[in-house]
Amino acid sequence: MVNNTYPRPGSQAERGLPASRRRFLAVLGTATAGLPLLGACGASAGGPAASDHRGSMGDALPRVRVSQEASPGREVKRTSFPITAVGLTWTGPPHGVRLRLIDRSGKPGEWQDVTAGCPCGKDAETLRTKSTTPPNRALVPAHGSYGYQLDVDSGVKVIEAIAIDAGRLGRKQRPAPSGTPSKSAPATAPDTSGSVAFPPPGLVLRADWGADETKRLTADGRESSPTRFTRVQAITVHHTATPVDDPDPAATVRAIYEQHAVSNDWGDIGYNFLIDRQGTVYEGRYSGADGIPAHNADDEVVTAFHTFGFNPGNIGIALLGDFGKQRPSSRMRDSLVRLTASLAARHRLNPLARVTYRSPTSGKSTDGPALGGHQDWTSTECPGSAAYLDLPEVRERAAQLAR
Ligand SMILES: [Zn+2]
């Protein structure tokens, strides 16, 4: 029998989970059992979302459904909903996991190799593995499949697999283009003026990409990862290691949010900003209700969970896609330049400089670039070789704009 639903409070699958997540699941099992966010799969398909969970544009939030498997084996896992992406967490080598998708009729697709993505993480993450390094994680697009099957090499242990239906935004909820509308325009047209305004024009706020804010909260309504703000010291670029050719980037952002906030138990999405291939910028980690993304009123930045050991004061920007071989699109690069230029100007950072980053939590100092890639701070391929090779040009252009 395949478990298509979140484990009930007190179930065997749940007992190994961190306390904050157990509290969260307890909420799901009691007071909010009828909520659509993680409701029983298929039980209320197409039904209206609860009226107190609405995006800023007035429409109901996209209904996100999840099935979770702790220590999944090799058997076929079926879901009763179309899967946007499968999130995997494993220990052992970063390669050595294969996955095939199962369509609605039960027919399996081709086996595909899964490669660990950006190894982002909380500085003080309590690892279920008791390891000193974060486990490998990946988000595999599933194109509306209804199941999956895993195959792993020896030495690999899959800790968890989650199948996510990230839902769809209502039409009214899609942000209006900031430029002249055209049939080929993306949902939000990025600014092309070269300005370094902050927030960047056309920024998609959390409510507008469909962030369900209850996912950040514990059973008693507190933030499971309370916001902390510090002075900005650096900006770090990542990639999400998801496909470059993404038909619904907002759904991918919601799937990443689900994986980071709930599955990884970080309490929120790990990046401060995300950029899609059309150059649209998405607000990441929650930073308060003042409408200024990533910052508090004192212009300090909220600590996110993207560069293990170097998170406070480090603004994490994720490029949506896999840029190991393929270069980011020109629109994506232009948006990255404008966003980093605006942040550099705001915080008087020289994008061309090196800084001595001092961790306010550990007190440890490390030299690194003011504007760098994830691999400048830790051993990882993130943000991918092709995006990393673009960074010198991004720095030059951002420095010119920020002047
Ligand atoms: Zn990264």
Side-chain angles (χ1 to χ4, degrees):
M1 186 64 192
V2 176
N3 173 21
N4 278 341
T5 60
Y6 242 74
R8 283 186 295 277
S11 70
Q12 182 141 23
E14 193 203 315
R15 277 197 282 273
L17 297 176
S20 62
R21 183 157 167 206
R22 285 200 297 274
R23 284 197 302 276
F24 180 81
L25 291 167
V27 172
L28 290 173
T30 53
T32 60
L35 277 185
L37 70 160
L38 289 170
C41 307
S44 56
S51 60
D52 55 341
H53 292 85
R54 286 173 183 273
S56 67
M57 310 289 281
D59 271 6
L61 282 173
R63 194 159 60 99
V64 174
R65 296 174 286 189
V66 177
S67 89
Q68 180 220 29
E69 292 281 347
S71 300
R74 287 197 53 172
E75 65 270 31
V76 169
K77 307 291 182 187
R78 300 288 295 273
T79 60
S80 58
F81 56 78
I83 308 171
T84 307
V86 180
L88 297 171
T89 305
W90 73 93
T91 55
H95 301 269
V97 178
R98 286 162 300 282
L99 176 146
R100 64 179 178 180
L101 298 164
I102 312 294
D103 74 11
R104 194 168 202 166
S105 71
K107 192 177 151 211
E110 296 290 314
W111 285 105
Q112 51 180 301
D113 290 322
V114 178
T115 304
C118 163
C120 46
K122 282 183 91 161
D123 280 15
E125 184 178 1
T126 306
L127 299 169
R128 274 167 272 165
T129 55
K130 308 289 182 209
S131 164
T132 53
T133 54
N136 301 296
R137 294 188 172 103
L139 195 65
V140 183
H143 317 294
S145 296
Y146 280 79
Y148 61 91
Q149 187 177 15
L150 296 173
D151 178 36
V152 300
D153 289 349
S154 63
V156 169
K157 178 169 171 20
V158 179
I159 301 167
E160 185 175 73
I162 53 169
I164 305 166
D165 169 15
R168 298 197 172 279
L169 288 175
R171 280 190 73 185
K172 280 183 193 168
Q173 221 174 355
R174 287 204 178 272
S178 59
T180 308
S182 82
K183 279 185 179 172
S184 60
T188 301
D191 174 40
T192 53
S193 66
S195 85
V196 290
F198 188 89
L203 175 84
V204 180
L205 295 169
R206 290 173 64 94
D208 295 331
W209 55 255
D212 181 340
E213 301 295 355
T214 64
K215 291 181 191 294
R216 296 188 295 105
L217 306 178
T218 58
D220 53 5
R222 290 176 303 160
E223 293 179 312
S224 52
S225 284
T227 49
R228 292 197 167 79
F229 297 85
T230 55
R231 178 181 65 84
V232 172
Q233 303 184 55
I235 302 168
T236 301
V237 178
H238 303 259
H239 72 159
T240 56
T242 52
V244 170
D245 192 8
D246 188 334
D248 191 349
T252 302
V253 174
R254 288 193 297 279
I256 295 169
Y257 177 45
E258 176 70 35
Q259 186 183 35
H260 287 187
V262 183
S263 176
N264 299 357
D265 197 38
W266 297 345
D268 202 352
I269 191 165
Y271 307 110
N272 295 104
F273 298 94
L274 304 95
I275 305 177
D276 72 17
R277 76 178 159 147
Q278 299 288 358
T280 302
V281 182
Y282 300 79
E283 180 185 20
R285 168 84 163 118
Y286 177 84
S287 64
D290 58 6
I292 307 169
H295 295 77
N296 65 6
D298 296 329
D299 233 7
E300 296 169 320
V301 70
V302 66
T303 299
F305 326 117
H306 54 92
T307 304
F308 192 78
F310 306 94
N311 280 314
N314 194 347
I315 302 177
I317 303 172
L319 306 176
L320 281 164
D322 185 335
F323 302 104
K325 296 193 177 84
Q326 192 171 333
R327 197 179 179 201
S329 71
S330 61
R331 281 184 166 194
M332 181 181 262
R333 279 181 278 135
D334 289 350
S335 274
L336 179 62
V337 167
R338 281 192 299 274
L339 178 59
T340 53
S342 68
L343 292 166
R346 193 178 182 92
H347 297 291
R348 299 175 188 278
L349 275 182
N350 176 1
L352 299 167
R354 286 186 71 79
V355 294
T356 299
Y357 173 90
R358 187 174 182 278
S359 168
T361 45
S362 72
K364 208 177 134 192
S365 292
T366 312
D367 284 347
L371 169 53
H374 193 172
Q375 61 180 264
D376 289 313
W377 297 101
T378 189
S379 175
T380 172
E381 290 171 14
C382 183
S385 303
Y388 190 75
L389 288 173
D390 268 340
L391 286 184
E393 185 192 314
V394 170
R395 284 189 197 102
E396 288 283 351
R397 291 176 59 197
Q400 277 176 16
L401 264 184
R403 243 171 231 148

